[in-house]
Amino acid sequence: MMNKKTFTNMALAFGLGLAASTVSYAMSCSSHPAPPDNPQTTEVPAGRGGYVDLTYAAEKAVNSVVYIKVTTNGRSQMMESNGPFSDPFFEEFFGDFFGRGGRQQQRRIETPKRQGAGSGVILSEDGYIVTNNHVVENADELMVKLNDNREFKARIIGTDKSTDLALIKVESTGLPAITVGNSEQLKLGEWVLAIGNPFSLTSTVTAGIVSAKARSLGASPGSIESFIQTDAAINPGNSGGALVNASGQLVGINAMLYSQTGSYSGYGFAIPTTIMNKVVEDLKKYGTVQRALLGVMGSDVSQYIDMQKEKGNNVDLGTVTGIYVSEVTADGAAAAAGLKAGDVILTVDGKKIEKFGQLQEVLTNHRPGDKVSVTYMREKKERSAVVTLRNIQGTTTAVESLDTDDMGAALRPLTDVEKQELGLRYGLVVSAIRKGKMQDAGITKGIIIMQVNDKEMRTKTDFDEAVKAANMSADRVLWIRAKTQSGLNRSFTVELSDQTKK
């Protein structure tokens, strides 16, 4: 099973009032439920004594959860080796006296082939499957196993690191698609089931209740979080599996567990379907997620007031709920609509906003160019504004995924012989050039690309990732540092700005 990704999360520990613990991605697998007899039904069957009969939900959903086997091929790369005198102290006083014993040592590292496991949920009869981004990222091969033991090779349609979601596809028909429910209708204390393959125990079903909604964990920088918190057991191997309600409808994608040991200790977290639906739709249509931004930074009002009290300040905002706006982006949507730092956002499109996770969840369901009504408090007086949401570039147009093959250049890593001859440790050679962005920037055949936006170019994957990141950034520019075959330094600027339109 693939190694869990764990990290110490002080923000989470603070939010829950606990000692610093770990949040683990629950790498997992799953099974799949048969198509519902009546997709419209929301009636929950009751057992003897009026108790909810969870066997109905389990039987309805289990066949829609699949096991995903992930293979990552071995990699060969050059790594800097710390010699006995690699400390900067020695370099400062002795220079290159110790020669290759210092930082200049290089050695080739062969990473082994790795295999891991995760879960996914069948969304359509023609083979679209949703899972976690962390399950499939860096995968060279994906194999999907259904609950009836049929196996299919899968391909990635698109991924979204911010929400930790990914869409993959197998080529088949008549698959047991799950019924997607509305996570907004979940209530605290409502029964839910987590279905997956923890510790390679396939088709495992655990039960619990909804412990909290719109939970933000601060799992990674830039992440969009509005988790459903549940005490249904989620363990390593559950990632990408289904969280279903008592009607057997999908309400969340299992993603994380909160633990001091790396294994389940009471809390699991799932991505709600309100976020999943929009991400899946965008990945199908655009190849990337259309992120609508309000252009504000802030925190829950309760957190802001508590922080001010700790500083000895008494704060009266006229409300004790909402989102306190600490910063407004100069060219953002909120600034254009007249919002300022110090305002408190109360509602968006009529929905009461009490947690930052709720604000993120609402915005995730919109695209750049959409208009939303915002009610906010300023100087204890309620105001309203209509805000036209923008993308990361500050425009209202859709951002298309960018195929690096259309850049107009064929790239390959330097060979060992070329590195020795040119005195370089890494680099990508432009082996062919045709009409496209690279040629327009003045790049010619034979140029050796060393860095793109300060990222070292060692593999073609490095270049692809740099282009993708630039395409989704505010600048949408590649700053390229390169060398000629004769060793002269060159720099190029590749504009991606016209790639937003079809």
Side-chain angles (χ1 to χ4, degrees), residues 340-472:
K340 299 179 180 179
D343 291 344
V344 177
I345 297 174
L346 302 175
T347 69
V348 176
D349 278 346
K351 296 180 180 178
K352 191 174 182 179
I353 305 295
E354 296 180 332
K355 302 177 183 178
F356 204 83
Q358 291 175 315
L359 178 60
Q360 287 190 312
E361 188 171 344
V362 170
L363 294 176
T364 299
N365 284 283
H366 288 281
R367 295 189 176 95
D370 288 355
K371 296 181 185 296
V372 296
S373 59
V374 176
T375 302
Y376 62 98
M377 186 82 71
R378 178 183 295 172
E379 297 175 351
K380 301 183 185 180
K381 294 182 180 178
E382 196 169 297
R383 304 187 180 198
S384 62
V386 175
V387 181
T388 302
L389 301 175
R390 302 183 181 185
N391 59 30
I392 187 66
Q393 289 94 31
T395 70
T396 58
T397 57
V399 177
E400 296 293 328
S401 60
L402 185 62
D403 189 346
T404 54
D405 291 336
D406 293 335
M407 296 291 290
L411 305 174
R412 64 167 177 80
L414 288 170
T415 65
D416 289 340
V417 173
E418 288 172 331
K419 290 176 186 177
Q420 186 174 6
E421 290 176 346
L422 298 170
L424 299 175
R425 295 183 290 112
Y426 60 88
L428 295 178
V429 180
V430 178
S431 57
I433 194 79
R434 57 180 171 80
K435 186 176 181 180
K437 289 290 183 184
M438 302 282 274
Q439 188 180 73
D440 293 343
I443 295 172
T444 57
K445 181 178 178 180
I447 287 289
I448 303 166
I449 298 176
M450 303 298 296
Q451 293 184 352
V452 176
N453 293 352
D454 294 327
K455 179 181 176 65
E456 293 181 351
M457 294 292 106
R458 298 176 181 272
T459 67
K460 178 64 163 56
T461 301
D462 291 335
F463 181 79
D464 293 343
E465 291 176 352
V467 171
K468 182 178 180 181
N471 187 53
M472 297 303 294

Side-chain angles (χ1 to χ4, degrees), residues 58-90:
E59 291 174 359
K60 184 178 179 182
V62 71
N63 290 313
S64 296
V65 183
V66 301
Y67 176 89
I68 301 176
K69 183 179 179 181
V70 181
T71 301
T72 302
N73 295 332
R75 301 280 197 273
S76 176
Q77 61 187 76
M78 296 297 293
M79 299 289 290
E80 289 190 359
S81 174
N82 292 327
F85 303 103
S86 59
D87 191 284
F89 172 85
F90 287 97

Side-chain angles (χ1 to χ4, degrees), residues 7 25 34 62 98 122 161 269 386 403:
F7 55 92
Y25 290 117
V62 71
F98 293 102
I122 301 174
K161 192 170 185 177
F269 300 91
V386 175
D403 189 346

Side-chain angles (χ1 to χ4, degrees), residues 42 49 63 106 119-120 136 150 155 195 246 281 318 335 361 433 500:
T42 56
N63 290 313
Q106 296 287 314
S119 300
V136 301
R150 284 185 293 165
R155 58 188 173 92
I195 307 175
E281 185 179 349
E361 188 171 344
I433 194 79
T500 55

Side-chain angles (χ1 to χ4, degrees), residues 175-212:
L175 298 181
I178 202 165
T179 303
V180 178
N182 185 353
S183 57
E184 282 191 349
Q185 296 178 357
L186 283 175
K187 298 179 180 179
L188 296 183
E190 181 175 341
W191 281 100
V192 286
L193 299 178
I195 307 175
N197 301 276
F199 305 112
S200 295
L201 300 173
T202 58
S203 306
T204 294
V205 179
T206 58
I209 62 169
V210 175
S211 305

